[in-house]
Amino acid sequence: MNMHKKVCFEWFNAFQPSVSYKQYALPFEKAGILFNLGAILSEAATKKYRESEYGADKDDLLKNSLLYLQQASGLYQFLSENYLHAPSNDLGQLTVKYLVQLMLAQASEVFALKVISGDLDQSKKSLISKYVKEVGTL
């Protein structure tokens, strides 16, 4: 193998930044990038949600927040299905599957809060109670 073409990728554990892992495999770097992109989308969703509390275009901001959380969930789902041999626990199957569920739960919360904060007639109240009951069973 030609050593001049070998690139070492380093990953710092998301939960223990003092611990790092190094590999020469491109899929290892891809997994790290996708994990970080999911984290960035989650942070952007939080920012959009907070802006919606004060912004004039509340509906658009909430829609963006929901979209970002769904995209983060999709990235973590991709990792859980395609990156099976993680060297660290933060990229491991259990952690990534948990992050999928966490992003979906946050999206559900944003949606519920959006519905609750709107003008409610009797049919919407019924819808909210059914939705919250369903989310509670997840």
Side-chain angles (χ1 to χ4, degrees), residues 48-49 52-53 56-67 69-70 105-121 124-125 127-128 131-132:
K48 292 295 179 188
Y49 178 78
S52 76
E53 294 175 339
D57 53 345
K58 182 176 184 168
D59 283 342
D60 287 339
L61 292 168
L62 286 173
K63 286 177 186 176
N64 285 338
S65 179
L66 283 168
L67 177 65
L69 289 168
Q70 291 170 339
Q106 288 178 321
S108 295
E109 179 183 9
V110 168
F111 177 76
L113 291 172
K114 178 186 180 325
V115 172
I116 290 169
S117 67
D119 293 330
L120 298 178
D121 57 23
K124 284 187 180 179
K125 290 179 184 177
L127 174 66
I128 291 169
Y131 177 74
V132 171

Side-chain angles (χ1 to χ4, degrees), residues 12 28 30 42 47 72 77 86 96 100 103 107 111 118 122 134:
F12 291 90
F28 178 66
K30 180 180 178 180
S42 174
K47 183 179 180 202
Q77 183 67 37
V96 175
V100 169
M103 296 300 112
F111 177 76
Q122 191 59 38
E134 185 64 32

